[in-house]
Amino acid sequence: MNPRKDLITIDALSDEDIRTILDSTSAMKDIFTKSVKKVPALKGKSVLTLFYEPSTRTRSSFEVAANRLSADVTTFTVSTSSVVKGESVHDTIDTLMSMKMDYIIVRHKNSGIPAVIARHCKASVINAGDGSHAHPSQAFLDAFTIREKYGDVAGRRVVIIGDILHSRVARSTSTILRRLGAEVAYMGPSPLVPPTAHTGIPRFTNWNQIFDWKPDIIYLLRVQNERIDTPFFPAADYHQAFGVTEERLRRIDDLNLSIMHPGPVNRGVEICDDAMEYRNCLINNQVENGIAARMSILYHLTPQTQSHD
Ligand code: CP
């Protein structure tokens, strides 16, 4: 893999970049099986997590990943910072760069902010989710989870169900899966699914069409109410029309399909309780693999920060 400073989108990566990061994810996961779950790969490097939007999985997973590579990790808590006094993203980054950070992992509600920060500083910038635009580390952990389960991503059929329009996960994950040779389809409420003419991705409107398509994986999304001015559906109506109900779970089980979800999950909306315990539910595998994928991402990026040796 050629030296690469930042990870902003999957589109910006070459096929070789994608394969290198995925291949190393397996090696990173092997580290977890050792009694000492740490390697010195990033010893002496500093990693900052800068999340302007809430996160459970991504932030903690990047922090665990950086710790396992022996980096020094700083968590920037926006709610208790001078951001609440009106400090701009630009000034916050200038301040933090004076502290000589090597990696900045940033989540922001506005699409494009991580790319702006990346242009502005020598640290490696990793996009941990920007608006409806991109979430590349999620894409890597999803692709790795599918590869781990099926041996290869190529040839698999994945239907992504829910609010595609506002989902950075749908955008990044469908991009990486198609680059790796999977077939992807979308299903959800018509106003929340972009037309096939815009994406080249088949668009279904109901579960019968999904079962007829014979997918391997049902990938569920949450409706992103925080990115919609007026919520579209009462939860119960959404569940009946688009969710994995108990009845649909029985069919999914009969067909031996897998279920994935990036989290956070809204039980009773896109997924019923029993589906969380389903034998082919890969949600916990996704979380576990997120650490290994993020270790691999950190390992392969090359900050342009000055050496003071
Ligand atoms: N999948 C994901 O981005 O989850 P968090 O919002 O909890 O980070």
Side-chain angles (χ1 to χ4, degrees):
M1 174 169 169
N2 290 325
R4 178 173 289 285
K5 183 170 93 65
D6 308 303
L7 175 60
I8 306 299
T9 63
I10 296 297
D11 291 308
L13 300 179
S14 68
D15 290 348
E16 186 201 348
D17 293 337
I18 291 174
R19 293 205 179 269
T20 302
I21 291 173
L22 273 181
D23 288 347
S24 299
T25 299
S26 301
M28 296 299 175
K29 196 167 175 185
D30 287 345
I31 294 169
F32 299 180
T33 60
K34 305 239 163 65
S35 56
V36 178
K37 298 178 175 55
K38 211 163 182 171
V39 290
L42 294 191
K43 195 166 174 53
K45 299 291 181 190
S46 49
V47 174
L48 175 77
T49 54
L50 176 62
F51 278 57
Y52 289 85
E53 269 192 340
S55 167
T56 302
R57 281 146 288 271
T58 311
R59 185 161 88 175
S60 56
S61 172
F62 265 118
E63 290 176 354
V64 172
N67 276 315
R68 288 187 179 168
L69 294 172
S70 303
D72 299 314
V73 181
T74 304
T75 304
F76 180 87
T77 309
V78 170
S79 60
T80 55
S81 75
S82 290
V83 170
V84 296
K85 300 180 202 161
E87 186 173 73
S88 68
V89 172
H90 184 286
D91 289 339
T92 301
I93 295 297
D94 265 355
T95 304
L96 295 169
M97 285 317 291
S98 303
M99 300 177 194
K100 305 290 181 227
M101 293 295 163
D102 296 298
Y103 300 83
I104 299 178
I105 297 156
V106 60
R107 170 173 288 188
H108 201 283
K109 69 178 169 53
N110 294 337
S111 300
I113 292 286
V116 171
I117 296 172
R119 282 197 292 277
H120 186 70
C121 69
K122 292 181 174 175
S124 285
V125 174
I126 301 173
N127 180 3
D130 60 333
S132 305
H133 176 224
H135 195 348
S137 65
Q138 180 72 45
F140 272 107
L141 75 88
D142 289 338
F144 182 79
T145 302
I146 292 171
R147 193 166 88 164
E148 188 177 55
K149 169 83 178 172
Y150 292 95
D152 199 350
V153 174
R156 300 275 73 88
R157 285 193 158 182
V158 184
V159 58
I160 304 180
I161 302 175
D163 175 7
I164 311 294
L165 200 63
H166 298 95
S167 173
R168 54 199 179 205
V169 173
R171 208 176 305 276
S172 291
T173 292
S174 57
T175 300
I176 200 168
L177 295 183
R178 293 173 88 208
R179 290 275 295 276
L180 291 167
E183 286 183 68
V184 175
Y186 290 152
M187 197 277 269
S190 296
L192 298 180
V193 183
T196 304
H198 292 180
T199 61
I201 293 177
R203 180 169 96 151
F204 301 135
T205 54
N206 63 61
W207 278 89
N208 287 335
Q209 292 171 326
I210 289 179
F211 288 128
D212 287 348
W213 190 63
K214 298 187 172 34
D216 300 289
I217 297 146
I218 307 289
Y219 193 109
L220 302 170
L221 297 172
R222 172 179 80 80
V223 176
Q224 321 268 308
N225 281 325
E226 71 276 23
R227 298 194 195 119
I228 303 175
D229 293 337
T230 312
F232 275 76
F233 279 93
D237 292 352
Y238 184 93
H239 189 60
Q240 280 312 313
F242 303 105
V244 172
T245 58
E246 285 177 15
E247 185 186 343
R248 288 182 191 127
L249 180 62
R250 283 193 286 278
R251 182 96 190 264
I252 287 168
D253 191 6
D254 287 346
L255 295 170
N256 200 28
L257 311 186
S258 295
I259 293 179
M260 295 176 69
H261 192 307
V265 163
N266 287 322
R267 290 171 186 248
V269 186
E270 68 270 13
I271 191 165
C272 64
D273 282 336
D274 287 353
M276 298 296 289
E277 313 300 328
Y278 167 52
R279 64 193 169 92
N280 287 328
C281 177
L282 304 180
I283 295 174
N284 288 337
N285 307 56
Q286 289 173 270
V287 174
E288 182 182 354
N289 290 336
I291 295 171
R294 288 167 176 132
M295 286 171 76
S296 181
I297 290 165
L298 284 163
Y299 179 73
H300 283 291
L301 294 181
T302 310
Q304 292 172 353
T305 38
Q306 295 288 327
S307 166
H308 297 286
D309 295 345

